[in-house]
């Protein structure tokens, strides 16, 4: 019994020692709240401060589905003259951040549209569509039942309002938001080294804060 206890203690010390010696990453993306991913990982808040625009990268701010109001522009109205005035160092930094954002979003969307994630989305949609049917809305278009074939997003205010109510009252909104943040964090995990490097760019961006700069509507991170 004493020998067994000694061996187990030695193993535990060995394992804890390995864990302690593993270098911590500069950025713990998994702990970032969903609403802060754009700011904490893609430095959207600092870009907005420099360019005096709305924070960009709105597409990685995971919230429950909103069928009533249009989504905010992904670029936040940033870019253009305000970006050019900040100089090449700043433009290069934003271009690097934008490239990582675009890669992450492309991989994220591909995951959501394929395999078990797509099946999970369809299963959640069934809950929403059944609620709409109980409210008197039926399928309008051809094909399998879907948000699109029911006309959601077509501009029908009554339908969109009903979809929002169904989303809020059922578990649809929660399931979709939970799925999106889970899959986004999974994709971010593939880019841990790049995220760490991007985090180092915050002081580079912050050096270019200037009073009086204004937004211009060009696409962020792209050459003029």
């Amino acid at each position: 019994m004493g020998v067994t206890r000694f061996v187990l203690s030695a193993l535990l010390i060995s394992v804890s020692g390995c864990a302690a010696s593993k270098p911590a990453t500069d950025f713990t993306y998994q702990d970032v709240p969903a609403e802060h991913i754009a700011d904490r990982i893609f430095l959207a808040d600092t870009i907005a401060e420099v360019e005096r625009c709305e924070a960009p990268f709105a597409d990685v701010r995971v919230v429950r589905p909103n069928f009533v109001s249009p989504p905010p522009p992904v670029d936040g109205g940033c870019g253009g003259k305000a970006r050019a005035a900040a100089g090449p160092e700043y433009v290069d930094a934003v271009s690097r951040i934008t490239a990582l954002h675009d890669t992450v979003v492309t991989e994220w969307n591909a995951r959501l549209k394929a395999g078990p994630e797509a099946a999970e989305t369809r299963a959640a949609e069934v809950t929403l569509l059944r609620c709409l049917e109980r409210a008197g809305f039926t399928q309008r278009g051809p094909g399998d039942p879907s948000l699109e074939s029911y006309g959601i997003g077509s501009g029908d205010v009554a339908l969109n309002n009903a979809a929002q109510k169904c989303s809020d009252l059922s578990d649809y909104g929660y399931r979709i938001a939970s799925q999106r943040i889970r899959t986004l964090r999974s994709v971010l995990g593939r880019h841990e080294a790049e995220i760490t490097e991007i985090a180092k760019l915050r002081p580079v961006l912050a050096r270019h804060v200037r009073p009086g700069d204004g937004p211009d509507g060009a696409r962020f991170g792209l050459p003029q």
Side-chain angles (χ1 to χ4, degrees):
M1 184 68 176
V3 174
T4 303
R5 196 172 285 163
F6 173 80
V7 172
L8 287 174
S9 299
L11 286 172
L12 287 172
I13 292 171
S14 175
V15 170
S16 63
C18 290
S21 63
K22 181 181 177 181
T25 57
D26 293 336
F27 202 89
T28 311
Y29 58 87
Q30 293 287 3
D31 296 333
V32 179
E35 65 272 20
H36 296 313
I37 285 177
D39 292 339
R40 297 274 298 279
I41 293 182
F42 299 108
L43 314 185
D45 53 346
T46 305
I47 293 172
E49 185 179 7
V50 174
E51 302 185 25
R52 298 300 177 94
C53 54
E54 296 296 323
F57 312 126
D59 51 352
V60 294
R61 288 187 178 88
V62 179
V63 296
R64 294 192 182 194
N66 185 339
F67 298 107
V68 178
S69 303
V74 173
D75 66 5
C78 303
K81 294 178 182 178
R83 178 158 303 162
E89 178 190 48
Y90 175 85
V91 172
D92 178 68
V94 176
S95 296
R96 288 174 59 190
I97 296 166
T98 303
L100 176 59
H101 161 269
D102 291 351
T103 297
V104 166
V105 170
T106 297
E107 293 179 7
W108 183 30
N109 287 334
R111 174 172 292 195
L112 287 170
K113 293 176 181 177
E117 299 299 345
E120 183 174 333
T121 300
R122 288 193 297 270
E125 288 180 353
V126 168
T127 302
L128 185 71
L129 298 180
R130 285 175 177 169
C131 177
L132 285 175
E133 288 179 347
R134 290 194 296 271
F137 297 92
T138 57
Q139 184 169 344
R140 301 178 178 182
D144 295 331
S146 66
L147 303 188
E148 292 75 18
S149 68
Y150 270 67
I152 297 174
S154 63
D156 185 326
V157 174
L159 174 60
N160 290 342
N161 286 336
Q164 189 64 57
K165 185 175 182 179
C166 284
S167 176
D168 294 340
L169 295 179
S170 70
D171 66 351
Y172 172 80
Y174 172 79
R175 290 173 66 180
I176 292 297
S178 297
Q179 178 193 27
R180 287 179 63 79
I181 189 59
R182 172 177 55 76
T183 50
L184 175 57
R185 284 177 171 150
S186 177
V187 171
L188 289 171
R190 300 178 181 177
H191 299 278
E192 188 171 358
E194 295 145 275
I195 290 170
T196 299
E197 291 303 308
I198 290 299
K200 298 175 183 177
L201 295 177
R202 189 179 292 278
V204 175
L205 301 181
R207 283 200 295 269
H208 298 277
V209 175
R210 302 177 186 179
D213 284 348
D216 195 320
R219 166 75 163 93
F220 57 93
L222 297 180
Q224 301 295 312

